[in-house]
Amino acid sequence: MKIAVVGIGKIARDQHLPAIAASPDWDLAATVSRSGIVEGVDAFADFSVMLEERPDIRTVSLCLPPVPRFAYAMQAIRAGRHVMLEKPPGATLAECHALTEAAREAGTALYATWHSRQADRVAAARAWLADKQLHSLTVTWKEDVRRWHPGQAWIWEPGGLGVFDPGINALSIVTEILPDAIHVTDARLEVPENRQTPIAAEIRFHHAGGAEVTATFDWRQEGPQTWEIEAVTDQGRLTLSEGGAVMQLEGLRQVDPALSVDTALSVDPALSVDPAPPNDPAPPAGEYPRLYEQMARLVERGGLDMDLRPLVLVADAFTLGRRVSTAAFID
Ligand code: NAP
């Protein structure tokens, strides 16, 4: 199927273009960018012109920051195109609801992608937690903003989310792996005095089963980077690290047949259960190839996949969060 990528920036070049090039489902037929081109691919500077001149391209992948993305998404849906949205799916929840309604009316596929949910061990973590009683869950997401977002002004502007731009990835995993619902009860947001969005945040959540659930996001981490979720349950401790790529189980009281060979080996002491168990079907390797595979299936079925739970948590943290002014951030 032919696809156009819109917004040829960091994530388009790092992940989307290689994933499309390696995909058996997709053919990169055009790009839309004010500044970038891809050698040998039809290049447009104006989205309206692309939609008009290339009716054969039925799917667009929008790799723009959240604030400008809504107008592109709505225009594409109204032009009858299937739409794949980078995370977060919108700058506001209302935008996401409007897109969902429009896609439903137009009969087009609409996919709110959450790339971190496609990390290698997220599905195994979900399976392991499904029948456990959760005592606590702690998210620690600490990275160096200068390393991952060099010179990106939009993340510091309203709608840019600040440290919640990576933090929402953690929340996309949490909402995927926990069998029970959570919602924000309070938050503390540290906002640099010269910026509009937080550089760090502490969040507490209500958990339907009564567990203590907290998250710490910080963009000032130099040296080793930390993307970790630790869940303590009645049957041991699960740690997802490296953004969901690695899972460890500790202190298990019993072998869990659902996890087959990995868990049997991991009773004690802690054992990394990476890579995937031998009986797993063979999905494409990597987060973005899996997103593009899912988009292909959605287009074939004409479906909607708009799970907004991570964005609800972020929106509520902004609503309830106590703002604390902190040192100016200079890029
Ligand atoms: P980016 O490089 O700063 O921007 C992406 C592209 O969006 C730009 O190159 C530009 O494309 C276009 N753009 C920016 N502002 C625009 C505006 N006002 N109007 C129209 N187009 C505009 O950002 P990015 O890091 O790729 O992030 C894009 C999205 O991907 C964000 O939602 C982010 O959360 C998500 N994401 C990023 C990463 C990452 O590691 N960076 C990882 C996962 C997800 P042209 O110059 O081509 O027009």
Side-chain angles (χ1 to χ4, degrees):
M1 292 176 281
K2 291 177 186 171
I3 192 166
V5 172
V6 184
I8 304 298
K10 183 169 182 346
I11 198 60
R13 289 195 186 281
D14 288 357
Q15 298 290 344
H16 290 257
L17 299 178
I20 291 168
S23 169
D25 297 307
W26 297 105
D27 170 24
L28 181 64
T31 57
V32 181
S33 170
R34 303 162 309 171
S35 57
I37 60 156
V38 174
E39 206 53 44
V41 177
D42 203 5
F44 293 84
D46 187 314
F47 190 48
S48 306
V49 174
M50 192 282 286
L51 292 173
E52 184 72 26
E53 291 187 0
R54 295 297 306 263
D56 56 317
I57 301 175
R58 304 308 306 162
T59 304
V60 298
S61 179
L62 302 183
C63 302
L64 314 159
V67 169
R69 200 185 310 123
F70 173 76
Y72 286 76
M74 193 54 101
Q75 192 181 353
I77 292 167
R78 290 194 172 137
R81 301 318 206 273
H82 307 295
V83 175
M84 183 167 169
L85 301 164
E86 247 301 349
K87 48 76 25 175
T92 68
L93 286 161
E95 284 184 0
C96 299
H97 295 312
L99 293 178
T100 304
E101 268 316 297
R104 201 168 273 142
E105 274 172 30
T108 58
L110 180 64
Y111 184 18
T113 64
W114 298 108
H115 66 88
S116 291
R117 285 184 176 174
Q118 306 298 331
D120 282 348
R121 306 310 292 155
V122 170
R126 176 189 167 100
W128 190 79
L129 285 168
D131 62 351
K132 310 293 183 297
Q133 192 183 336
L134 188 72
H135 294 322
S136 68
L137 182 137
T138 309
V139 176
T140 310
W141 226 250
K142 295 184 175 179
E143 62 177 50
D144 183 350
V145 63
R146 290 189 174 87
R147 190 161 143 195
W148 301 104
H149 300 276
Q152 285 186 339
W154 62 264
I155 51 173
W156 296 108
E157 292 299 317
L161 297 194
V163 76
F164 284 87
D165 178 78
I168 201 169
N169 299 334
L171 299 176
S172 74
I173 296 176
V174 171
T175 47
E176 176 75 4
I177 63 177
L178 279 189
D180 298 314
I182 57 170
H183 65 259
V184 173
T185 54
D186 60 86
R188 180 179 185 275
L189 313 177
E190 284 188 60
V191 183
E193 61 187 23
N194 61 338
R195 303 287 178 163
Q196 292 290 318
T197 57
I199 195 165
E202 298 275 346
I203 310 140
R204 300 189 74 82
F205 303 85
H206 175 270
H207 174 256
E212 185 170 329
V213 179
T214 58
T216 302
F217 302 149
D218 203 320
W219 248 350
R220 298 166 295 196
Q221 173 111 330
E222 293 175 4
Q225 310 284 285
T226 309
W227 299 287
E228 195 167 285
I229 297 170
E230 183 190 77
V232 178
T233 76
D234 60 333
Q235 293 174 51
R237 179 193 309 261
L238 175 150
T239 308
L240 265 182
S241 50
E242 297 181 29
V246 173
M247 183 172 93
Q248 291 185 311
L249 299 170
E250 250 183 88
L252 292 179
R253 283 196 220 129
Q254 61 187 48
V255 173
D256 187 334
L259 269 188
S260 71
V261 65
D262 292 291
T263 316
L265 294 171
S266 73
V267 173
D268 198 32
L271 178 83
S272 165
V273 289
D274 205 32
N279 293 335
D280 272 6
E287 296 177 10
Y288 280 80
R290 289 174 192 144
L291 294 180
Y292 275 94
E293 186 195 45
Q294 169 74 356
M295 185 63 190
R297 304 292 87 78
L298 273 184
V299 168
E300 282 162 10
R301 292 199 312 266
L304 290 169
D305 184 343
M306 286 289 283
D307 181 3
L308 301 180
R309 287 175 297 163
L311 188 57
V312 169
L313 297 176
V314 171
D316 286 357
F318 274 89
T319 303
L320 288 173
R322 180 177 299 278
R323 267 71 170 171
V324 180
S325 185
T326 191
F329 176 82
I330 313 294
D331 235 338

